[in-house]
Amino acid sequence: MLIGINRPEKKNAVNSEVAKQLVEHFNRFDDDEDSLAAVLYGKGGTFCAGYDLAAVSEQTDDLPVRLPQGQGPMGPSRMYFSKPVVAAVDGYAVAGGLELALMCDLRVVEESAIMGVFCRRFGVPLIDGGTVRLPALIGLSRAMDMMLTGRAVSAKEAFEWGLANRIVATGTALGQAINLANSLVKFPQECLRVDRRSAYYATFDAKSLDDALKFENLNAAHVLQQESIAGATAFTRGVGRHGKFNLHAEFRKPTSKS
């Protein structure tokens, strides 16, 4: 599923209406059994410039307090999705736009793109998961560099830090992100999702190493019957040898009989 931020005249800065629409689209994606992965992108050459500061300047109350539970000012930033989401980053992914990119599982970043905590300049805090996800992704020291200085981070530096998963040519982020998302849907999906869930649990929820390991075991146990035996059977027929991918359909081919 493609989910686009369509406010190019404002560099795709998010206001309350756009945030609401993003939540609706992500809920629709998570509920749709036929949508196995999503790509989040910005229209018009910019991923997202953050929250609309013109809207912030008109605020007379505490925006985060009056938001629906589980929703951030940027919309879906406090949600957890059961399926992978890929960000296609071009132009600027800054302030709240950076936080939306951090919300995604993978980030495909154009070589000319810029990421950063630009809201540092204006006294606007990271309240859409930035202080939570950024240190988990790139480490506390580098996260502090980005958060405290607010400086621009190039695609090359973002890739070296692990903030960007792929660097691609300018103008190709969306297509490359779609290709990456499509590559994920070819795998056995329940196995992919439980491994993804276990990794998030270990990173953000586990109380100890023992807790994380127990969750991993219990979370994945049902997959052995559901997908692993079929996968092992396919392997014995020669499927997947020599590092071959694109195997998901092969699992369902009947064993030939002589």
Side-chain angles (χ1 to χ4, degrees):
M1 177 181 286
L2 294 178
I3 300 176
I5 305 173
N6 187 17
R7 210 175 177 225
E9 73 283 0
K10 293 286 188 177
K11 300 294 183 183
N12 290 326
V14 169
N15 59 15
S16 59
E17 179 58 32
V18 173
K20 179 182 177 182
Q21 292 176 10
L22 285 172
V23 169
E24 291 173 352
H25 279 83
F26 272 103
N27 278 329
R28 191 174 304 130
F29 158 67
D30 220 34
D31 292 339
D32 185 354
E33 294 183 359
D34 295 325
S35 294
L36 304 183
V39 173
L40 176 64
Y41 71 103
K43 296 186 178 182
T46 293
F47 179 73
C48 177
Y51 199 84
D52 189 344
L53 293 184
V56 173
S57 69
E58 299 170 357
Q59 286 297 136
T60 58
D61 59 356
D62 193 343
L63 174 64
V65 170
R66 63 182 174 84
L67 288 170
Q69 186 174 4
Q71 178 178 330
M74 295 295 295
S77 54
R78 297 175 185 167
M79 297 169 64
Y80 173 79
F81 312 115
S82 63
K83 297 172 285 188
V85 180
V86 180
V89 177
D90 60 349
Y92 287 86
V94 296
L98 172 66
E99 293 181 285
L100 285 181
L102 297 175
M103 173 195 74
C104 300
D105 298 279
L106 299 169
R107 285 153 294 282
V108 176
V109 180
E110 292 188 358
E111 59 190 359
S112 58
I114 296 294
M115 307 178 87
V117 185
F118 281 17
C119 50
R120 177 61 55 232
R121 301 169 296 165
F122 303 110
V124 179
L126 297 173
I127 52 177
D128 282 275
T131 66
V132 178
R133 295 187 177 106
L134 191 60
L137 287 175
I138 65 174
L140 181 61
S141 179
R142 286 168 170 167
M144 284 298 178
D145 185 351
M146 290 188 68
M147 291 191 294
L148 299 184
T149 69
R151 69 180 180 86
V153 173
S154 68
K156 180 177 181 294
E157 189 173 18
F159 181 74
E160 291 170 348
W161 285 6
L163 180 56
N165 299 97
R166 307 281 191 278
I167 296 181
V168 298
T170 298
T172 68
L174 179 57
Q176 295 282 9
I178 292 172
N179 289 340
L180 179 55
N182 285 337
S183 74
L184 303 180
V185 307
K186 297 175 183 178
F187 296 121
Q189 288 299 293
E190 187 62 17
C191 182
L192 180 144
R193 291 178 191 176
V194 298
D195 283 348
R196 175 181 177 274
R197 177 72 185 101
S198 292
Y200 274 110
Y201 184 87
T203 301
F204 295 109
D205 298 320
K207 299 176 182 177
S208 65
L209 174 61
D210 185 58
D211 179 31
L213 292 172
K214 285 180 179 178
F215 182 89
E216 178 188 63
N217 182 54
L218 294 173
N219 187 43
H222 68 284
V223 176
L224 295 174
Q225 286 291 334
Q226 190 168 333
E227 290 178 344
S228 302
I229 293 175
T233 302
F235 177 77
T236 64
R237 297 200 307 264
V239 174
R241 301 292 173 86
H242 311 295
K244 180 182 177 183
F245 277 66
N246 298 342
L247 314 179
H248 193 27
E250 297 286 345
F251 289 179
R252 288 163 176 75
K253 287 185 178 180
T255 303
S256 59
K257 296 181 180 179
S258 54

